[in-house]
Amino acid sequence: MTKPQTTYHFTPGFLWGTSTSSHQVEGDNNNNNWADWESQPGRIYHGEKAGRACEWWAGRWKEDFDRAQETGQNAHRLSLEWSRIQPTPDTWDEEAIERYRQMMRGLVERHLMPLVTLHHFTDPLWFVEQGGWESEKAPELFARYVRKIVPALSEYVTLWVTINEPNVFTQGGWLGGMFPPGKSDTKLAGMVFRNLLLAHAAAYKIIHEVQPHSRVGVAHQYRVFWPASGSPLDKFMANFVNTNFNLTFPSAIATGKYNYLFRTHAIPEAKGTQDFMGLNYYSADKVRFRLTKHKEFFHERYYPEDVELSETGFLANQPQAFFQAIKWANSFGLPILITENGTEDSTDRTRPSYLAEHIHQVWRAINFNWPVKGYFQWSLVDNFEWERGWSQRFGLWGLDLETQKRIRRPSVDFYEAVARNNMLSSEMVERYAPESFDRMFPV
Ligand code: BGC
């Protein structure tokens, strides 16, 4: 039987990009809480540090932006390092601001639409010393930084993400303890969450004042949670985790109300403060009730047995859950940007099929007329993976940390074919991700 031949077209002007964040790629970031965290024994896998990272701050952003441009991409998501822009409470580093201006100009000159994140997990040391996100002062301190930096970059940037993954940030720092400050305290987590919401709302308003035509959103991490069985307890737990992890922030900024740990809170300032839905999707879990797991709120999560795991077992390839996530994002009635999606794979054994099958789901969503406007692959080049150090390799390009050499993985060619042609074809899948062919084009 001849193999099916088909082409999945994307809408004209679709954004094909990659995502990065300042601390993960810049190198030489010493004035933030992550540098401090990395210096503490036992915090990071094998005691690794971001260190020189990908040396973007030393100028290697140019060669990596060239790579993105030369391989057909037309957008890039990156973040700003607050601690560079405002190294102390009372100083602005104009040279650092100028360097960011050059980077933004560098993107625009390469026809890469910049999508700029104002906060991606790292905080200036002085901010943390003043109480950080636990303090009531946090939203105003963040607003000052936003008031300074947005006008400086507005010549080049119109697309903004205020905060990356407020749920992962709060969970990592104040519930799970794997991010600084390493606490486990539901009350503090609730305060941090509220301050993030207020900071986001303030930033949204400031950006629109400076730049009325800007489009502002949040990069929401959405993880799909399936009950492990039909038992009411498993269903309850899956719903509980879904509400607290996935829904809280997005519903607060949509409606001005949110539920946190069984209580409803009002936050009228945040209502209606996003112009697009930014969606970070990686994987999905089964959720099972467990009486003994009181520290984990009486549940455990695991990957279904029959799914393909990433190199270190961190992620599972579950594209159907991605579709579910996009469906949820669509319920907000806003344009959607896939602000992150990708997998860790140093040998590029599983990345091509992860890519093919996830991009396929984006196309399916568009085919339902859901307004998905862009897709940003995490990441352009291997970078520092937080508490997991350098143990996971998410880049389309690999990185040799010693020599700073970039290693072009086969997925680069695949992503280039998709981006350049603004489509995904059966021919491409056969060539780059043959093991996905039958799953994607069943006869
Ligand atoms: C974060 C990125 C991170 C990626 C892969 C996301 O949650 O926004 O900073 O590198 O996951 O671990």
Side-chain angles (χ1 to χ4, degrees):
M1 197 178 12
T2 51
K3 285 203 160 190
Q5 277 199 322
T6 190
T7 307
Y8 298 151
H9 292 278
F10 287 75
T11 31
F14 194 82
L15 297 179
W16 292 105
T18 49
S19 276
T20 54
S21 92
S22 54
H23 190 73
Q24 295 180 271
V25 295
E26 283 180 354
D28 199 25
N29 259 317
N30 302 311
N31 194 21
N32 70 25
N33 58 337
W34 267 88
D36 174 55
W37 188 246
E38 289 156 30
S39 69
Q40 300 173 23
R43 298 300 194 189
I44 313 291
Y45 178 80
H46 282 185
E48 289 169 344
K49 294 187 160 76
R52 294 155 62 197
C54 310
E55 290 194 340
W56 276 24
W57 199 249
R60 285 191 196 272
W61 59 266
K62 296 192 192 88
E63 51 169 292
D64 285 335
F65 290 180
D66 285 345
R67 288 185 176 92
Q69 182 199 18
E70 284 159 12
T71 55
Q73 296 175 34
N74 60 6
H76 184 72
R77 173 175 173 233
L78 75 176
S79 80
L80 308 174
E81 185 57 41
W82 180 5
S83 62
R84 286 196 194 279
I85 292 163
Q86 193 177 8
T88 68
D90 310 313
T91 50
W92 302 107
D93 185 335
E94 297 296 339
E95 250 174 66
I97 296 174
E98 183 47 38
R99 209 175 298 189
Y100 279 125
R101 279 176 55 81
Q102 284 169 21
M103 286 168 80
M104 300 309 147
R105 196 180 313 132
L107 286 172
V108 173
E109 281 168 0
R110 289 169 180 80
H111 306 289
L112 297 163
M113 159 95 85
L115 166 54
V116 170
T117 307
L118 295 164
H119 185 275
H120 195 125
F121 292 172
T122 53
D123 290 308
L125 281 174
W126 63 262
F127 173 77
V128 174
E129 277 155 21
Q130 296 194 16
W133 290 103
E134 293 169 24
S135 159
E136 271 179 8
K137 290 190 294 187
E140 176 48 28
L141 293 175
F142 185 69
R144 273 189 221 162
Y145 149 66
V146 176
R147 251 180 238 121
K148 174 74 185 177
I149 197 62
V150 169
L153 303 183
S154 62
E155 189 181 341
Y156 306 109
V157 184
T158 56
L159 208 48
W160 305 89
V161 160
T162 54
I163 296 173
N164 181 66
E165 299 185 343
N167 54 351
V168 172
F169 178 70
T170 312
Q171 157 129 6
W174 288 269
L175 292 170
M178 56 292 180
F179 285 10
K183 296 187 182 172
S184 189
D185 182 325
T186 48
K187 193 159 168 237
L188 279 181
M191 283 159 61
V192 166
F193 209 77
R194 192 171 177 86
N195 287 330
L196 288 168
L197 276 166
L198 292 169
H200 158 78
Y204 179 89
K205 291 195 183 97
I206 293 163
I207 301 171
H208 275 283
E209 274 161 29
V210 174
Q211 203 183 39
H213 59 289
S214 59
R215 284 151 303 157
V216 184
V218 170
H220 301 283
Q221 151 95 242
Y222 188 92
R223 229 178 140 91
V224 172
F225 299 109
W226 292 303
S229 74
S231 107
L233 282 174
D234 289 350
K235 282 192 187 161
F236 172 83
M237 272 333 304
N239 186 35
F240 173 81
V241 180
N242 183 46
T243 305
N244 283 291
F245 186 79
N246 286 328
L247 307 185
T248 317
F249 207 93
S251 48
I253 61 182
T255 64
K257 278 192 235 128
Y258 64 101
N259 286 313
Y260 178 68
L261 298 181
F262 308 113
R263 282 191 53 201
T264 304
H265 304 261
I267 187 143
E269 325 56 346
K271 187 173 174 181
T273 54
Q274 68 179 348
D275 307 319
F276 64 87
M277 268 306 282
L279 178 66
N280 290 4
Y281 169 85
Y282 287 91
S283 218
D285 297 304
K286 293 251 184 193
V287 178
R288 180 159 46 210
F289 174 77
R290 274 268 185 244
L291 191 58
T292 49
K293 299 244 171 197
H294 61 280
K295 271 200 182 153
E296 289 83 17
F297 287 102
F298 305 103
H299 76 282
E300 68 183 5
R301 303 181 192 177
Y302 62 95
Y303 291 132
E305 267 167 22
D306 52 345
V307 294
E308 181 169 53
L309 296 185
S310 62
E311 192 167 19
T312 70
F314 184 64
L315 299 172
N317 181 6
Q318 296 175 104
Q320 70 288 14
F322 187 28
F323 185 77
Q324 223 174 297
I326 305 174
K327 187 173 179 187
W328 165 80
N330 185 51
S331 68
F332 288 81
L334 294 169
I336 301 165
L337 285 177
I338 310 303
T339 34
E340 284 180 34
N341 174 244
T343 191
E344 43 108 9
D345 184 7
S346 65
T347 61
D348 221 37
R349 192 181 58 81
T350 58
R351 183 176 289 102
S353 37
Y354 185 99
L355 253 174
E357 293 175 35
H358 285 74
I359 291 174
H360 177 212
Q361 298 301 328
V362 177
W363 173 81
R364 280 188 65 212
I366 291 172
N367 234 22
F368 278 92
N369 263 335
W370 301 346
V372 188
K373 303 293 183 192
Y375 173 88
F376 292 79
Q377 166 75 199
W378 187 277
S379 182
L380 180 55
V381 56
D382 286 345
N383 54 57
F384 180 71
E385 273 299 328
W386 309 114
E387 81 285 5
R388 286 153 276 130
W390 291 94
S391 65
Q392 295 178 346
R393 301 299 178 135
F394 276 88
L396 288 176
W397 271 268
L399 173 74
D400 180 327
L401 257 178
E402 287 303 308
T403 62
Q404 283 291 319
K405 259 189 85 177
R406 271 62 172 160
I407 303 134
R408 188 183 171 114
R409 298 194 168 116
S411 288
V412 172
D413 301 319
F414 182 20
Y415 198 50
E416 175 173 2
V418 172
R420 260 193 210 294
N421 298 298
N422 202 22
M423 71 186 198
L424 176 68
S425 69
S426 49
E427 211 187 326
M428 289 174 196
V429 175
E430 196 170 7
R431 173 155 178 214
Y432 297 107
E435 52 298 332
S436 296
F437 196 93
D438 293 341
R439 288 202 285 268
M440 287 174 61
F441 309 103
V443 271

mmCIF file of all heavy atoms in Angstrom, residues 21 24 77 120-121 164-165 168 221 280 282 314 340 378 383-386 388 392 394, ligand 1:
data_model
loop_
_atom_site.group_PDB
_atom_site.id
_atom_site.type_symbol
_atom_site.label_atom_id
_atom_site.label_comp_id
_atom_site.label_asym_id
_atom_site.label_seq_id
_atom_site.Cartn_x
_atom_site.Cartn_y
_atom_site.Cartn_z
ATOM 1 N N SER A 21 16.061 31.995 28.336
ATOM 2 C CA SER A 21 15.917 32.978 29.417
ATOM 3 C C SER A 21 17.295 33.436 29.864
ATOM 4 O O SER A 21 18.279 32.711 29.707
ATOM 5 C CB SER A 21 15.129 32.403 30.594
ATOM 6 O OG SER A 21 15.993 31.825 31.549
ATOM 7 N N GLN A 24 19.745 31.442 32.044
ATOM 8 C CA GLN A 24 20.077 30.142 31.461
ATOM 9 C C GLN A 24 21.084 30.239 30.309
ATOM 10 O O GLN A 24 21.752 29.259 30.002
ATOM 11 C CB GLN A 24 18.790 29.441 31.002
ATOM 12 C CG GLN A 24 17.883 29.102 32.177
ATOM 13 C CD GLN A 24 16.594 28.415 31.746
ATOM 14 O OE1 GLN A 24 15.616 29.082 31.460
ATOM 15 N NE2 GLN A 24 16.581 27.104 31.685
ATOM 16 N N ARG A 77 11.940 34.268 21.685
ATOM 17 C CA ARG A 77 11.530 34.690 23.032
ATOM 18 C C ARG A 77 12.757 34.651 23.928
ATOM 19 O O ARG A 77 13.461 33.633 23.990
ATOM 20 C CB ARG A 77 10.438 33.765 23.565
ATOM 21 C CG ARG A 77 10.103 34.050 25.007
ATOM 22 C CD ARG A 77 8.935 33.228 25.543
ATOM 23 N NE ARG A 77 8.836 33.488 26.964
ATOM 24 C CZ ARG A 77 8.803 32.559 27.919
ATOM 25 N NH1 ARG A 77 8.801 31.272 27.601
ATOM 26 N NH2 ARG A 77 8.754 32.900 29.184
ATOM 27 N N HIS A 120 11.921 35.891 34.553
ATOM 28 C CA HIS A 120 11.990 34.441 34.316
ATOM 29 C C HIS A 120 12.811 33.808 35.447
ATOM 30 O O HIS A 120 14.009 33.557 35.308
ATOM 31 C CB HIS A 120 12.611 34.159 32.948
ATOM 32 C CG HIS A 120 12.394 32.747 32.460
ATOM 33 N ND1 HIS A 120 11.823 32.445 31.248
ATOM 34 C CD2 HIS A 120 12.671 31.546 33.024
ATOM 35 C CE1 HIS A 120 11.765 31.135 31.079
ATOM 36 N NE2 HIS A 120 12.274 30.560 32.156
ATOM 37 N N PHE A 121 12.184 33.621 36.571
ATOM 38 C CA PHE A 121 12.689 32.876 37.738
ATOM 39 C C PHE A 121 13.760 33.573 38.586
ATOM 40 O O PHE A 121 13.954 33.181 39.725
ATOM 41 C CB PHE A 121 13.236 31.493 37.329
ATOM 42 C CG PHE A 121 12.206 30.496 36.842
ATOM 43 C CD1 PHE A 121 12.602 29.281 36.303
ATOM 44 C CD2 PHE A 121 10.843 30.758 36.927
ATOM 45 C CE1 PHE A 121 11.672 28.343 35.854
ATOM 46 C CE2 PHE A 121 9.904 29.828 36.480
ATOM 47 C CZ PHE A 121 10.331 28.622 35.939
ATOM 48 N N ASN A 164 7.228 34.606 33.799
ATOM 49 C CA ASN A 164 7.267 33.236 33.319
ATOM 50 C C ASN A 164 6.778 32.274 34.401
ATOM 51 O O ASN A 164 7.295 32.281 35.526
ATOM 52 C CB ASN A 164 8.702 32.849 32.941
ATOM 53 C CG ASN A 164 8.764 31.419 32.412
ATOM 54 O OD1 ASN A 164 8.220 31.118 31.360
ATOM 55 N ND2 ASN A 164 9.391 30.524 33.178
ATOM 56 N N GLU A 165 5.803 31.483 34.070
ATOM 57 C CA GLU A 165 5.336 30.384 34.910
ATOM 58 C C GLU A 165 5.220 30.735 36.394
ATOM 59 O O GLU A 165 5.941 30.179 37.238
ATOM 60 C CB GLU A 165 6.257 29.170 34.753
ATOM 61 C CG GLU A 165 6.298 28.657 33.332
ATOM 62 C CD GLU A 165 7.120 27.375 33.176
ATOM 63 O OE1 GLU A 165 7.909 27.043 34.074
ATOM 64 O OE2 GLU A 165 6.959 26.710 32.150
ATOM 65 N N VAL A 168 5.029 27.531 38.519
ATOM 66 C CA VAL A 168 6.259 26.754 38.735
ATOM 67 C C VAL A 168 7.193 27.526 39.675
ATOM 68 O O VAL A 168 7.824 26.955 40.568
ATOM 69 C CB VAL A 168 6.963 26.476 37.387
ATOM 70 C CG1 VAL A 168 8.333 25.850 37.589
ATOM 71 C CG2 VAL A 168 6.086 25.590 36.509
ATOM 72 N N GLN A 221 2.537 27.829 32.567
ATOM 73 C CA GLN A 221 2.863 26.400 32.418
ATOM 74 C C GLN A 221 1.582 25.615 32.693
ATOM 75 O O GLN A 221 0.962 25.761 33.742
ATOM 76 C CB GLN A 221 3.970 26.039 33.393
ATOM 77 C CG GLN A 221 3.986 24.630 33.893
ATOM 78 C CD GLN A 221 4.913 23.673 33.126
ATOM 79 O OE1 GLN A 221 4.411 22.720 32.554
ATOM 80 N NE2 GLN A 221 6.208 23.898 33.150
ATOM 81 N N ASN A 280 3.021 27.328 28.062
ATOM 82 C CA ASN A 280 4.205 26.466 28.118
ATOM 83 C C ASN A 280 3.700 25.063 28.401
ATOM 84 O O ASN A 280 3.092 24.813 29.445
ATOM 85 C CB ASN A 280 5.132 26.854 29.284
ATOM 86 C CG ASN A 280 5.835 28.176 29.072
ATOM 87 O OD1 ASN A 280 5.593 28.865 28.094
ATOM 88 N ND2 ASN A 280 6.704 28.535 30.004
ATOM 89 N N TYR A 282 4.797 20.885 28.388
ATOM 90 C CA TYR A 282 5.839 19.863 28.236
ATOM 91 C C TYR A 282 5.301 18.444 28.339
ATOM 92 O O TYR A 282 5.656 17.577 27.565
ATOM 93 C CB TYR A 282 6.946 20.049 29.287
ATOM 94 C CG TYR A 282 7.827 21.237 28.996
ATOM 95 C CD1 TYR A 282 7.541 22.495 29.508
ATOM 96 C CD2 TYR A 282 8.941 21.094 28.186
ATOM 97 C CE1 TYR A 282 8.344 23.586 29.211
ATOM 98 C CE2 TYR A 282 9.753 22.174 27.891
ATOM 99 C CZ TYR A 282 9.449 23.422 28.400
ATOM 100 O OH TYR A 282 10.248 24.496 28.099
ATOM 101 N N PHE A 314 12.664 12.809 32.561
ATOM 102 C CA PHE A 314 12.031 14.018 33.092
ATOM 103 C C PHE A 314 10.677 14.301 32.437
ATOM 104 O O PHE A 314 9.754 14.780 33.080
ATOM 105 C CB PHE A 314 12.999 15.185 32.874
ATOM 106 C CG PHE A 314 12.569 16.495 33.440
ATOM 107 C CD1 PHE A 314 12.414 16.671 34.803
ATOM 108 C CD2 PHE A 314 12.351 17.595 32.606
ATOM 109 C CE1 PHE A 314 12.042 17.902 35.324
ATOM 110 C CE2 PHE A 314 11.981 18.827 33.117
ATOM 111 C CZ PHE A 314 11.820 18.975 34.476
ATOM 112 N N GLU A 340 6.493 27.977 25.124
ATOM 113 C CA GLU A 340 7.536 26.952 25.326
ATOM 114 C C GLU A 340 6.957 25.579 25.031
ATOM 115 O O GLU A 340 5.823 25.274 25.422
ATOM 116 C CB GLU A 340 8.044 26.912 26.773
ATOM 117 C CG GLU A 340 8.982 28.016 27.152
ATOM 118 C CD GLU A 340 9.449 27.912 28.610
ATOM 119 O OE1 GLU A 340 9.619 26.794 29.137
ATOM 120 O OE2 GLU A 340 9.625 28.987 29.208
ATOM 121 N N TRP A 378 11.471 25.204 23.042
ATOM 122 C CA TRP A 378 12.494 25.317 24.078
ATOM 123 C C TRP A 378 13.503 24.227 23.803
ATOM 124 O O TRP A 378 13.162 23.062 23.943
ATOM 125 C CB TRP A 378 11.890 25.139 25.488
ATOM 126 C CG TRP A 378 12.941 25.433 26.517
ATOM 127 C CD1 TRP A 378 13.905 24.581 26.981
ATOM 128 C CD2 TRP A 378 13.173 26.698 27.154
ATOM 129 N NE1 TRP A 378 14.728 25.226 27.858
ATOM 130 C CE2 TRP A 378 14.310 26.520 27.983
ATOM 131 C CE3 TRP A 378 12.568 27.958 27.088
ATOM 132 C CZ2 TRP A 378 14.830 27.572 28.756
ATOM 133 C CZ3 TRP A 378 13.081 28.978 27.867
ATOM 134 C CH2 TRP A 378 14.199 28.774 28.686
ATOM 135 N N ASN A 383 21.035 24.893 27.507
ATOM 136 C CA ASN A 383 21.314 25.923 28.514
ATOM 137 C C ASN A 383 21.122 25.380 29.922
ATOM 138 O O ASN A 383 20.730 24.231 30.098
ATOM 139 C CB ASN A 383 20.472 27.175 28.238
ATOM 140 C CG ASN A 383 18.994 26.883 28.127
ATOM 141 O OD1 ASN A 383 18.417 26.330 29.058
ATOM 142 N ND2 ASN A 383 18.384 27.221 27.008
ATOM 143 N N PHE A 384 21.418 26.229 30.897
ATOM 144 C CA PHE A 384 21.436 25.823 32.304
ATOM 145 C C PHE A 384 20.018 25.502 32.787
ATOM 146 O O PHE A 384 19.151 26.372 32.792
ATOM 147 C CB PHE A 384 22.045 26.949 33.139
ATOM 148 C CG PHE A 384 22.120 26.637 34.602
ATOM 149 C CD1 PHE A 384 23.019 25.706 35.088
ATOM 150 C CD2 PHE A 384 21.274 27.282 35.506
ATOM 151 C CE1 PHE A 384 23.077 25.403 36.443
ATOM 152 C CE2 PHE A 384 21.328 26.990 36.864
ATOM 153 C CZ PHE A 384 22.225 26.055 37.330
ATOM 154 N N GLU A 385 19.820 24.258 33.210
ATOM 155 C CA GLU A 385 18.477 23.791 33.545
ATOM 156 C C GLU A 385 18.175 23.832 35.054
ATOM 157 O O GLU A 385 17.796 22.825 35.655
ATOM 158 C CB GLU A 385 18.266 22.383 32.990
ATOM 159 C CG GLU A 385 17.761 22.372 31.558
ATOM 160 C CD GLU A 385 16.405 23.059 31.381
ATOM 161 O OE1 GLU A 385 15.583 23.013 32.309
ATOM 162 O OE2 GLU A 385 16.194 23.648 30.319
ATOM 163 N N TRP A 386 18.407 25.009 35.656
ATOM 164 C CA TRP A 386 18.012 25.237 37.050
ATOM 165 C C TRP A 386 18.561 24.163 37.993
ATOM 166 O O TRP A 386 19.729 23.834 37.909
ATOM 167 C CB TRP A 386 16.479 25.385 37.131
ATOM 168 C CG TRP A 386 15.970 26.398 36.144
ATOM 169 C CD1 TRP A 386 15.169 26.175 35.057
ATOM 170 C CD2 TRP A 386 16.267 27.815 36.120
ATOM 171 N NE1 TRP A 386 14.948 27.338 34.371
ATOM 172 C CE2 TRP A 386 15.598 28.365 34.995
ATOM 173 C CE3 TRP A 386 17.018 28.681 36.913
ATOM 174 C CZ2 TRP A 386 15.664 29.718 34.661
ATOM 175 C CZ3 TRP A 386 17.085 30.031 36.591
ATOM 176 C CH2 TRP A 386 16.410 30.525 35.496
ATOM 177 N N ARG A 388 18.502 21.217 37.890
ATOM 178 C CA ARG A 388 19.017 20.040 37.169
ATOM 179 C C ARG A 388 20.336 20.337 36.460
ATOM 180 O O ARG A 388 20.849 19.524 35.699
ATOM 181 C CB ARG A 388 17.966 19.544 36.158
ATOM 182 C CG ARG A 388 16.808 18.842 36.805
ATOM 183 C CD ARG A 388 15.555 18.954 35.951
ATOM 184 N NE ARG A 388 14.846 20.209 36.175
ATOM 185 C CZ ARG A 388 14.440 21.025 35.183
ATOM 186 N NH1 ARG A 388 14.643 20.721 33.924
ATOM 187 N NH2 ARG A 388 13.810 22.145 35.478
ATOM 188 N N GLN A 392 20.455 18.154 31.575
ATOM 189 C CA GLN A 392 19.430 17.970 30.544
ATOM 190 C C GLN A 392 19.690 18.912 29.376
ATOM 191 O O GLN A 392 20.005 20.084 29.574
ATOM 192 C CB GLN A 392 18.046 18.232 31.138
ATOM 193 C CG GLN A 392 17.698 17.210 32.202
ATOM 194 C CD GLN A 392 16.359 17.469 32.852
ATOM 195 O OE1 GLN A 392 15.781 18.538 32.716
ATOM 196 N NE2 GLN A 392 15.872 16.486 33.573
ATOM 197 N N PHE A 394 18.184 20.634 26.238
ATOM 198 C CA PHE A 394 16.957 20.999 25.539
ATOM 199 C C PHE A 394 17.201 21.715 24.207
ATOM 200 O O PHE A 394 16.251 22.105 23.541
ATOM 201 C CB PHE A 394 16.110 21.925 26.423
ATOM 202 C CG PHE A 394 15.222 21.208 27.428
ATOM 203 C CD1 PHE A 394 15.694 20.877 28.689
ATOM 204 C CD2 PHE A 394 13.916 20.881 27.115
ATOM 205 C CE1 PHE A 394 14.868 20.235 29.619
ATOM 206 C CE2 PHE A 394 13.081 20.246 28.026
ATOM 207 C CZ PHE A 394 13.557 19.919 29.276
HETATM 208 C C1 BGC B 1 11.030 26.870 32.214
HETATM 209 C C2 BGC B 1 12.379 26.894 31.523
HETATM 210 C C3 BGC B 1 13.020 25.527 31.601
HETATM 211 C C4 BGC B 1 12.107 24.530 30.934
HETATM 212 C C5 BGC B 1 12.667 23.116 30.825
HETATM 213 C C6 BGC B 1 10.213 25.639 31.913
HETATM 214 O O1 BGC B 1 9.422 25.332 33.007
HETATM 215 O O2 BGC B 1 10.318 28.031 31.900
HETATM 216 O O3 BGC B 1 13.173 27.877 32.122
HETATM 217 O O4 BGC B 1 14.295 25.515 31.056
HETATM 218 O O5 BGC B 1 10.920 24.463 31.680
HETATM 219 O O6 BGC B 1 12.989 22.570 32.073
#
